[in-house]
Amino acid sequence: MSETRTDNAPLAGIRVIELARILAGPWAGQLLADLGADVIKIEHPEGGDDTRRWGPPFVEGADGENLSAAYYHSTNRGKRSITLDIASPEGAETARQLISTADIVLENFKVGGLKKYGLDYESLKATNPRLVYCSITGFGQTGPYAPRAGYDFIIQAMTGMMSITGEPGREPQKAGVAISDIFTGLYSVIAIQAALRHAEKTGQGQMIDMALFDTQAGILGNQNLNYLVSGVAPVQMGNAHMNIAPYEVFPASDGHVIIAVGNDGQFQRFCKLLGAAKLGADPEFQTNPSRVAHRVRLRAEIIAEMASWTKADMLSACDANAVPAGPINNIEEMFADPQIIARGLRMDLTDQAGTEIPSVRAPILLPASPLHYDRPSPRLGEHTEEVLAELKTIKSKGPST
């Protein structure tokens, strides 16, 4: 159904119509594009995706043209952009025709927001029964909060994420990136691929109901079970870990490092490299549960032992003794890290005008069916004529048999 991309890409031949903006939906669309799908992003003619204006910084073309904000480019790689006003009868009809040729629809309108345009799942499945329709909202299609708009910041607050983030006694903190949006995008791709498999087997698509609220609640992982088992709600612990010790940030003589001891053997090796035999022999520190129970004294003892160590010496000693440890990099330092360079996480993609736009590859390596990085994020409406010409050709051929 789609524009042909690399034949051995995992989702080559799959067409996606993206009626989504900001982050969660476009993040899912970008990963589907990386996996080889033909993702057609429908944008409003006046301004397009909101994130095109969410700057500075902005990407600048060779002629000084504003090519949209860095935020937009972080989540729209590999797509084709067309402009349609779906609020108009003509625009809505064109969107419906495009969807009739597609395998997947991605949308993040408010619950019921697309029904008035005939772009809801019930309206579309009549002409495309195999359609996988993924709706991403703040709170899902059901429940008392379903009509509300969803914002990552508020979702992090409501689900308890902020109650366990930050220093004890200080203002609750959100994560430094919109994790409920990003994780919802990832879970959406997982759900979409499962629904595609179902459609292959049965010939029937389905509507996927994805909610930022559900996702953020679900990804609290061990902290959810800490509460459900103990009945005690976890609280802010700064950089410390509720279930493991020592597993936090420690000061060296010239800065800070992370020491992340995960088992008793690692703890004994850590004490040995510190030259702190007494610490390793202390009955209160022999097992992880005991170390957690006595974490305040343990931290004080480790700080005293590390006072004369430099960051570099400590990290080198930990590496040589198989004790998990690491530096605290800023993002500039992260991109300069030799492991990041060796793994090729940073990419520069060249657009149709020769402008190089930086990007970060998806963290997936599939040797037999590699992901597909053939173009950066599109200019607003860059592919409108191309896509509509394809649609006209498809319509002229009539229904496939």
Side-chain angles (χ1 to χ4, degrees):
M1 287 186 176
S2 79
E3 170 205 45
T4 301
R5 301 185 74 186
T6 303
D7 289 341
N8 65 338
L11 295 183
I14 297 296
R15 169 169 280 183
V16 181
I17 305 300
E18 182 184 297
L19 286 161
R21 59 202 184 280
I22 315 296
L23 186 51
W27 193 265
Q30 177 170 270
L31 184 51
L32 291 168
D34 289 346
L35 289 165
D38 175 24
V39 180
I40 299 171
K41 183 180 182 71
I42 295 179
E43 301 188 71
H44 194 279
E46 297 179 6
D49 192 311
D50 301 33
T51 60
R52 288 183 179 274
R53 299 173 294 283
W54 283 14
F58 293 91
V59 174
E60 186 176 296
D63 59 357
E65 179 187 2
N66 183 333
L67 300 183
S68 298
Y71 194 119
Y72 166 79
H73 289 282
S74 74
T75 189
N76 286 287
R77 173 182 61 234
K79 304 174 187 178
R80 297 195 286 170
S81 169
I82 71 168
T83 53
L84 285 179
D85 180 5
I86 63 170
S88 72
E90 299 81 6
E93 176 58 23
T94 300
R96 287 191 292 271
Q97 291 178 16
L98 278 170
I99 290 168
S100 73
T101 72
D103 304 280
I104 300 162
V105 165
L106 266 173
E107 63 92 357
N108 65 350
F109 282 69
K110 289 183 181 179
V111 172
L114 288 174
K115 187 172 184 178
K116 59 187 173 183
Y117 309 126
L119 295 172
D120 58 302
Y121 175 64
E122 291 300 319
S123 299
L124 295 169
K125 72 176 183 178
T127 56
N128 190 352
R130 293 172 60 93
L131 183 67
V132 172
Y133 188 102
C134 183
S135 178
I136 300 175
T137 58
F139 296 94
Q141 302 291 315
T142 59
Y145 301 158
R148 296 186 186 180
Y151 296 91
D152 176 273
F153 193 5
I154 294 171
I155 298 292
Q156 288 194 42
M158 292 180 68
T159 56
M161 176 67 190
M162 290 177 63
S163 75
I164 57 173
T165 306
E167 293 291 333
R170 302 289 296 275
E171 180 179 278
Q173 293 290 309
K174 66 178 180 65
V177 294
I179 57 172
S180 66
D181 275 305
I182 290 173
F183 271 95
T184 302
L186 296 177
Y187 275 108
S188 295
V189 172
I190 295 169
I192 285 167
Q193 291 180 106
L196 283 174
R197 180 69 176 130
H198 174 81
E200 288 173 357
K201 292 191 294 183
T202 68
Q204 297 298 312
Q206 58 188 297
M207 179 174 171
I208 300 168
D209 177 5
M210 297 297 304
L212 273 67
F213 191 77
D214 297 355
T215 298
Q216 183 62 69
I219 64 171
L220 296 185
N222 62 298
Q223 294 287 39
N224 281 336
L225 268 292
N226 286 334
Y227 165 69
L228 292 174
V229 171
S230 71
V232 178
V235 297
Q236 292 168 294
M237 295 184 64
N239 290 310
H241 195 293
M242 183 175 182
N243 304 108
I244 311 171
Y247 198 98
E248 55 190 293
V249 174
F250 288 98
S253 63
D254 58 347
H256 293 79
V257 296
I258 291 174
I259 304 296
V261 168
N263 57 52
D264 298 336
Q266 290 173 358
F267 180 71
Q268 290 301 321
R269 293 196 298 275
F270 180 54
C271 293
K272 184 177 180 180
L273 73 85
L274 283 175
K278 182 179 178 181
L279 194 62
D282 192 312
E284 292 186 344
F285 303 148
Q286 291 301 295
T287 66
N288 182 69
S290 185
R291 290 193 296 275
V292 169
H294 300 94
R295 67 165 73 240
V296 174
R297 184 168 77 85
L298 175 61
R299 176 174 173 81
E301 296 274 9
I302 293 173
I303 288 174
E305 295 290 344
M306 286 182 57
S308 62
W309 287 75
T310 65
K311 292 187 296 182
D313 288 345
M314 176 54 63
L315 292 173
S316 178
C318 286
D319 186 47
N321 289 274
V323 174
I328 303 171
N329 292 332
N330 62 30
I331 293 177
E332 179 181 12
E333 291 167 330
M334 180 271 285
F335 276 114
D337 189 289
Q339 183 67 14
I340 291 289
I341 294 169
R343 298 287 289 176
L345 270 293
R346 161 77 186 265
M347 302 187 299
D348 290 309
L349 302 176
T350 304
D351 75 0
Q352 45 88 16
T355 301
E356 283 197 347
I357 299 175
S359 194
V360 180
R361 74 162 174 83
I364 299 171
L365 294 175
L366 296 173
S369 52
L371 276 63
H372 200 71
Y373 307 108
D374 62 341
R375 54 177 170 249
S377 306
R379 287 167 163 78
L380 179 62
E382 179 180 338
H383 303 95
T384 301
E385 292 184 7
E386 174 183 296
V387 170
L388 295 184
E390 291 173 5
L391 179 61
K392 185 176 181 180
T393 299
I394 293 170
K395 288 172 61 180
S396 70
K397 292 180 179 179
S400 58
T401 57

Coordinates of all heavy atoms in Angstrom, one line a residue, residues 221-252:
G221 N 7.1 0.7 37.6 CA 7.9 -0.6 37.8 C 7.9 -1.0 39.3 O 6.9 -1.3 39.9
N222 N 9.1 -1.2 39.8 CA 9.3 -1.7 41.1 C 8.7 -0.9 42.2 O 8.3 -1.3 43.3 CB 10.8 -1.9 41.4 CG 11.6 -0.6 41.4 OD1 11.7 0.0 40.3 ND2 12.2 -0.2 42.5
Q223 N 8.6 0.5 41.9 CA 8.0 1.3 42.9 C 6.5 1.0 43.1 O 6.0 1.1 44.2 CB 8.2 2.8 42.5 CG 9.6 3.3 42.5 CD 10.2 3.5 44.0 OE1 9.9 2.7 44.9 NE2 11.0 4.5 44.1
N224 N 5.8 0.6 42.1 CA 4.4 0.2 42.2 C 4.3 -1.0 43.1 O 3.5 -1.1 44.0 CB 3.8 -0.2 40.8 CG 3.4 1.0 40.0 OD1 3.1 2.1 40.5 ND2 3.4 0.8 38.7
L225 N 5.2 -2.0 42.9 CA 5.2 -3.2 43.7 C 5.7 -3.0 45.1 O 5.2 -3.6 46.1 CB 5.9 -4.3 43.1 CG 5.1 -5.3 42.1 CD1 4.1 -6.1 43.0 CD2 4.4 -4.5 41.1
N226 N 6.6 -2.0 45.3 CA 7.0 -1.6 46.6 C 5.8 -1.2 47.5 O 5.7 -1.6 48.6 CB 8.1 -0.5 46.6 CG 9.4 -1.0 46.1 OD1 9.8 -2.1 46.3 ND2 10.2 -0.1 45.6
Y227 N 4.9 -0.4 46.8 CA 3.7 0.0 47.5 C 2.7 -1.1 47.7 O 2.2 -1.4 48.8 CB 3.0 1.2 46.8 CG 1.6 1.4 47.3 CD1 1.4 1.8 48.6 CD2 0.5 1.0 46.5 CE1 0.1 2.0 49.1 CE2 -0.7 1.1 47.0 CZ -1.0 1.6 48.3 OH -2.2 1.7 48.8
L228 N 2.4 -1.9 46.6 CA 1.4 -2.9 46.7 C 1.7 -4.0 47.7 O 0.9 -4.6 48.3 CB 1.2 -3.5 45.3 CG 0.5 -2.5 44.3 CD1 0.5 -3.1 42.9 CD2 -0.9 -2.1 44.7
V229 N 3.0 -4.3 47.8 CA 3.4 -5.3 48.8 C 3.5 -4.8 50.2 O 3.1 -5.5 51.2 CB 4.8 -5.9 48.4 CG1 5.4 -6.8 49.4 CG2 4.7 -6.7 47.1
S230 N 4.0 -3.6 50.4 CA 4.2 -3.1 51.7 C 3.1 -2.2 52.3 O 2.9 -2.1 53.5 CB 5.5 -2.2 51.8 OG 5.3 -1.0 51.1
G231 N 2.3 -1.6 51.4 CA 1.3 -0.7 51.8 C 1.8 0.7 52.2 O 1.0 1.5 52.6
V232 N 3.1 0.9 51.9 CA 3.7 2.2 52.2 C 4.1 2.9 50.9 O 4.8 2.3 50.1 CB 4.9 2.0 53.1 CG1 5.6 3.4 53.4 CG2 4.6 1.3 54.4
A233 N 3.6 4.1 50.7 CA 3.9 4.7 49.4 C 5.3 5.2 49.4 O 5.8 5.8 50.3 CB 3.0 6.0 49.2
P234 N 6.1 4.9 48.4 CA 7.5 5.3 48.2 C 7.5 6.9 48.2 O 6.6 7.5 47.9 CB 7.9 4.8 46.9 CG 7.1 3.6 46.7 CD 5.7 4.0 47.2
V235 N 8.7 7.4 48.6 CA 8.8 8.9 48.7 C 10.1 9.3 48.0 O 10.8 8.4 47.5 CB 8.9 9.3 50.2 CG1 7.6 9.0 50.9 CG2 10.1 8.6 50.9
Q236 N 10.3 10.6 47.9 CA 11.5 11.1 47.3 C 12.7 10.6 48.1 O 12.8 10.7 49.3 CB 11.5 12.6 47.3 CG 10.5 13.3 46.4 CD 10.3 14.8 46.8 OE1 9.9 15.1 47.8 NE2 10.7 15.6 45.8
M237 N 13.7 10.2 47.3 CA 15.0 9.7 48.0 C 16.2 10.3 47.2 O 17.3 9.8 47.3 CB 15.1 8.2 48.0 CG 14.0 7.5 48.8 SD 14.2 5.7 48.9 CE 15.8 5.6 49.7
G238 N 16.0 11.4 46.5 CA 17.1 11.9 45.7 C 17.7 10.9 44.8 O 16.9 10.3 44.0
N239 N 19.0 10.7 44.8 CA 19.6 9.8 43.9 C 19.8 8.4 44.5 O 20.4 7.5 43.9 CB 21.0 10.3 43.5 CG 20.9 11.5 42.6 OD1 20.2 11.5 41.6 ND2 21.6 12.6 42.9
A240 N 19.3 8.2 45.7 CA 19.4 6.9 46.4 C 18.3 6.0 45.8 O 17.3 6.4 45.2 CB 19.2 7.0 47.9
H241 N 18.5 4.7 46.0 CA 17.6 3.6 45.5 C 16.9 3.0 46.7 O 17.5 2.7 47.7 CB 18.4 2.5 44.8 CG 17.6 1.6 44.0 ND1 16.6 0.7 44.5 CD2 17.5 1.4 42.6 CE1 16.1 0.1 43.5 NE2 16.6 0.5 42.4
M242 N 15.6 2.9 46.6 CA 14.8 2.4 47.7 C 15.1 1.0 48.1 O 15.0 0.6 49.3 CB 13.3 2.4 47.3 CG 12.3 2.0 48.5 SD 10.6 2.3 48.0 CE 9.8 1.7 49.6
N243 N 15.6 0.1 47.1 CA 15.7 -1.3 47.4 C 17.2 -1.8 47.4 O 17.4 -2.9 47.6 CB 15.0 -2.1 46.3 CG 13.5 -1.7 46.2 OD1 13.1 -1.1 45.3 ND2 12.8 -2.1 47.3
I244 N 18.1 -0.9 47.1 CA 19.5 -1.3 46.9 C 20.4 -0.3 47.6 O 20.2 0.9 47.5 CB 20.0 -1.4 45.5 CG1 19.0 -2.3 44.7 CG2 21.4 -2.1 45.4 CD1 19.2 -2.3 43.2
A245 N 21.5 -0.7 48.2 CA 22.5 0.2 48.8 C 23.9 -0.5 48.8 O 24.0 -1.7 49.1 CB 22.2 0.6 50.2
P246 N 25.0 0.2 48.5 CA 25.0 1.6 48.1 C 24.7 1.7 46.5 O 25.3 1.0 45.8 CB 26.4 2.1 48.4 CG 27.2 0.8 48.2 CD 26.3 -0.3 48.7
Y247 N 23.8 2.6 46.2 CA 23.4 2.8 44.8 C 23.0 4.2 44.6 O 21.8 4.6 44.6 CB 22.2 1.8 44.6 CG 21.9 1.5 43.1 CD1 22.4 0.4 42.5 CD2 21.1 2.4 42.3 CE1 22.1 0.0 41.2 CE2 20.8 2.1 41.0 CZ 21.3 0.9 40.4 OH 21.0 0.6 39.1
E248 N 23.9 5.1 44.5 CA 23.6 6.6 44.5 C 24.9 7.4 44.1 O 25.9 6.8 43.7 CB 23.1 7.0 45.9 CG 24.1 6.7 47.0 CD 23.4 6.9 48.4 OE1 23.2 8.1 48.7 OE2 23.2 5.9 49.1
V249 N 24.8 8.7 44.2 CA 25.8 9.6 43.9 C 26.7 9.8 45.1 O 26.2 10.0 46.2 CB 25.3 10.9 43.4 CG1 26.4 11.9 43.2 CG2 24.5 10.8 42.1
F250 N 28.0 9.7 44.9 CA 29.0 10.0 46.0 C 30.0 11.1 45.6 O 30.4 11.1 44.4 CB 29.7 8.7 46.4 CG 28.9 7.7 47.1 CD1 28.3 6.6 46.4 CD2 28.6 7.8 48.5 CE1 27.5 5.7 47.0 CE2 27.8 6.9 49.1 CZ 27.3 5.8 48.4
P251 N 30.4 11.9 46.6 CA 31.4 12.9 46.2 C 32.8 12.3 46.2 O 33.2 11.5 47.1 CB 31.2 13.9 47.4 CG 30.7 13.1 48.5 CD 29.9 12.0 47.9
A252 N 33.6 12.7 45.2 CA 35.0 12.5 45.2 C 35.7 13.8 45.5 O 35.0 14.8 45.8 CB 35.4 11.9 43.8

